[in-house]
Amino acid sequence: MKITPVIEQLRAYAHGFEQRVAGGLDWDPTADSAKLEIPAAYVIAVGDSADEPSAQNVITQDVRDAIDVCVVLPTVDERGQSVVDVLHDVRAQLWRALVGFEPDPETGPLLYDGGQLLLLDRERVVYRYRFYADLQLGRWEQTGEGKPQTWQEWKLAGL
C-alpha cells in the first residue's frame, strides 16, 4: 500500500502530532534519522502477506498489506509511567484518523491490528501501532475494471 496518503491523513486528522508525520521503509534506519520534534509519528511500510489461491480455474489471492505508525513521545521516567495514559489517548486519535480510511482504490479500508513497545529510555518512548488493509489480487477477470493484475489475466485479456 502507498504510505503517502496515510501520512497526509494523519497530518490532517491527528492534530496531536502538529503535522509532524513522516514515512519510511523500515524502523531501524528511520529511528537513526528521526529528527522531527516530538511528539511525532512515522508511517512504516511493513510488508504484505498472501493466502493460497482460492480457486483452481482462475488465480485470485487475498493479500494483506500492513503498515506501522511508530509514535515518538517524550518521557520523564525510565518505567514509562508518564506516557501510558498518553499512549491510550494517541491510540484513540489514530483510530479516529485511520480505521476505515482507504489509502488507495485497490485496497479495502484500514483496520487496527495491535500495538507494541519498541523503545523506552529517559528521553522518549517509541510505540508501534499496526494497521492493515486487505485487497484481492487477480480480480480483473471478475470485474473487467482497470488493468489485468496477473500474468493469467494479461494473457486472457489478449485473446
Side-chain angles (χ1 to χ4, degrees):
M1 122 183 30
K2 295 180 179 181
I3 64 170
T4 302
V6 177
I7 292 168
E8 291 170 355
Q9 180 78 357
L10 287 173
R11 286 179 180 163
Y13 295 100
H15 302 289
F17 301 114
E18 299 174 11
Q19 298 204 358
R20 292 187 292 265
V21 183
L25 190 55
D26 184 43
W27 173 249
D28 291 337
T30 302
D32 293 338
S33 65
K35 304 298 182 200
L36 295 177
E37 285 185 41
I38 53 179
Y42 297 87
V43 179
I44 307 297
V46 176
D48 59 18
S49 60
D51 292 341
E52 291 292 319
S54 55
Q56 293 180 359
N57 61 341
V58 64
I59 298 174
T60 61
Q61 290 180 277
D62 292 327
V63 178
R64 176 163 286 178
D65 268 338
I67 59 167
D68 284 348
V69 178
C70 297
V71 173
V72 184
L73 299 171
T75 187
V76 293
D77 62 286
E78 293 176 356
R79 297 171 320 210
Q81 180 179 342
S82 64
V83 294
V84 172
D85 292 343
V86 176
L87 286 169
H88 182 79
D89 295 340
V90 165
R91 182 182 66 179
Q93 191 175 145
L94 292 174
W95 287 348
R96 281 190 300 272
L98 296 180
V99 173
F101 173 67
E102 295 183 19
D104 58 67
E106 293 184 358
T107 61
L110 282 172
L111 300 170
Y112 181 66
D113 194 31
Q116 180 181 9
L117 178 67
L118 293 181
L119 172 75
L120 174 63
D121 61 28
R122 290 180 182 201
E123 296 175 3
R124 65 184 181 157
V125 61
V126 180
Y127 203 87
R128 169 193 69 78
Y129 297 94
R130 181 158 291 171
F131 295 86
Y132 67 90
D134 293 329
L135 64 102
Q136 184 180 19
L137 173 62
R139 66 178 180 260
W140 178 81
E141 189 173 284
Q142 293 141 355
T143 65
E145 297 176 13
K147 296 179 182 177
Q149 296 178 318
T150 66
W151 173 250
Q152 181 186 41
E153 290 177 345
W154 187 263
K155 188 174 168 184
L156 291 172
L159 293 178

